[in-house]
Protein backbone atom coordinates (compact mmCIF):
# COMPACT_ATOMS: atom_id res chain seq x y z
CA UNK A 1 0.00 0.00 0.00
CA UNK A 2 2.97 2.32 0.67
CA UNK A 3 3.92 1.86 -3.00
CA UNK A 4 0.51 3.02 -4.25
CA UNK A 5 -1.22 -0.34 -4.73
CA UNK A 6 -4.72 -1.34 -3.75
CA UNK A 7 -4.37 -4.71 -2.02
CA UNK A 8 -6.93 -7.52 -2.17
CA UNK A 9 -6.28 -10.63 -0.02
CA UNK A 10 -7.40 -14.10 -1.05
CA UNK A 11 -11.01 -14.93 -0.19
CA UNK A 12 -10.16 -18.61 0.42
CA UNK A 13 -7.78 -20.30 2.81
CA UNK A 14 -6.20 -22.48 0.15
CA UNK A 15 -5.54 -20.62 -3.07
CA UNK A 16 -2.82 -20.35 -5.73
CA UNK A 17 -2.85 -16.57 -5.06
CA UNK A 18 -2.34 -14.83 -1.71
CA UNK A 19 -2.77 -11.23 -2.83
CA UNK A 20 -3.95 -9.30 -5.84
CA UNK A 21 -2.39 -5.85 -6.02
CA UNK A 22 -3.59 -3.18 -8.43
CA UNK A 23 -2.32 0.25 -9.43
CA UNK A 24 -2.70 2.48 -12.48
CA UNK A 25 -0.37 0.16 -14.44
CA UNK A 26 -2.51 -2.95 -13.90
CA UNK A 27 -2.85 -5.97 -11.61
CA UNK A 28 -0.26 -8.35 -10.20
CA UNK A 29 -1.00 -11.75 -8.67
CA UNK A 30 1.24 -12.64 -5.72
CA UNK A 31 2.05 -15.71 -3.67
CA UNK A 32 3.79 -14.56 -0.48
CA UNK A 33 6.44 -16.68 1.25
CA UNK A 34 8.57 -16.12 4.33
CA UNK A 35 12.19 -15.53 3.38
CA UNK A 36 13.93 -18.62 4.73
CA UNK A 37 17.36 -19.99 4.02
CA UNK A 38 19.57 -23.01 4.48
CA UNK A 39 23.18 -23.94 3.90
CA UNK A 40 23.29 -26.38 1.00
CA UNK A 41 25.74 -29.31 1.07
CA UNK A 42 29.24 -28.27 0.07
CA UNK A 43 28.56 -24.59 0.69
CA UNK A 44 29.23 -22.21 3.55
CA UNK A 45 26.78 -19.41 2.80
CA UNK A 46 23.06 -19.60 3.48
CA UNK A 47 20.89 -19.53 0.33
CA UNK A 48 17.20 -18.65 -0.05
CA UNK A 49 14.82 -21.60 -0.17
CA UNK A 50 13.02 -21.12 -3.50
CA UNK A 51 9.62 -22.63 -4.08
CA UNK A 52 8.31 -23.66 -7.47
CA UNK A 53 5.07 -22.47 -8.99
CA UNK A 54 2.29 -24.92 -9.78
CA UNK A 55 0.98 -25.27 -13.33
CA UNK A 56 -2.01 -23.11 -12.38
CA UNK A 57 0.23 -20.41 -10.93
CA UNK A 58 2.39 -20.41 -14.06
CA UNK A 59 -0.67 -20.17 -16.31
CA UNK A 60 -2.06 -17.26 -14.28
CA UNK A 61 1.27 -15.43 -14.11
CA UNK A 62 1.51 -15.54 -10.31
CA UNK A 63 4.71 -13.99 -8.92
CA UNK A 64 6.40 -15.38 -5.81
CA UNK A 65 7.36 -12.73 -3.27
CA UNK A 66 9.66 -13.48 -0.32
CA UNK A 67 9.40 -11.29 2.79
CA UNK A 68 12.10 -10.98 5.46
CA UNK A 69 10.09 -10.74 8.67
CA UNK A 70 12.87 -8.94 10.57
CA UNK A 71 13.94 -6.28 8.06
CA UNK A 72 10.58 -6.12 6.17
CA UNK A 73 12.61 -6.39 2.97
CA UNK A 74 10.73 -7.83 -0.03
CA UNK A 75 12.29 -9.90 -2.83
CA UNK A 76 10.29 -10.57 -6.01
CA UNK A 77 11.38 -13.69 -7.88
CA UNK A 78 12.45 -13.28 -11.49
CA UNK A 79 10.59 -16.29 -12.92
CA UNK A 80 12.13 -15.73 -16.35
CA UNK A 81 15.72 -15.88 -15.05
CA UNK A 82 16.45 -19.47 -16.16
CA UNK A 83 14.56 -19.03 -19.43
CA UNK A 84 16.91 -16.14 -20.32
CA UNK A 85 20.13 -18.04 -19.49
CA UNK A 86 21.98 -19.69 -22.30
Amino acid sequence: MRLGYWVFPAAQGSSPIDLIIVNEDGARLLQVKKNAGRVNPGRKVKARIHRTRSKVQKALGVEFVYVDMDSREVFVTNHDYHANCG
Side-chain angles (χ1 to χ4, degrees):
M1 291 173 17
R2 289 188 315 248
L3 298 175
Y5 286 94
W6 293 286
V7 179
F8 301 91
Q12 301 173 348
S14 178
S15 169
I17 303 165
D18 288 330
L19 298 172
I20 299 171
I21 61 173
V22 180
N23 68 8
E24 292 81 14
D25 296 328
R28 294 172 68 185
L29 309 177
L30 306 178
Q31 182 74 22
V32 181
K33 300 291 184 192
K34 178 181 174 187
N35 191 29
R38 67 173 162 237
V39 178
N40 291 325
R43 307 241 175 151
K44 295 180 181 180
V45 179
K46 189 182 276 191
R48 177 177 291 114
I49 299 173
H50 286 278
R51 310 290 181 205
T52 58
R53 295 183 295 169
S54 68
K55 288 182 181 181
V56 170
Q57 289 171 322
K58 288 178 184 178
L60 293 173
V62 176
E63 301 173 72
F64 273 29
V65 175
Y66 296 88
V67 179
D68 186 308
M69 302 304 288
D70 297 324
S71 69
R72 298 181 66 170
E73 197 172 23
V74 176
F75 174 81
V76 180
T77 300
N78 178 358
H79 295 291
D80 294 326
Y81 175 78
H82 292 289
N84 294 327
C85 293

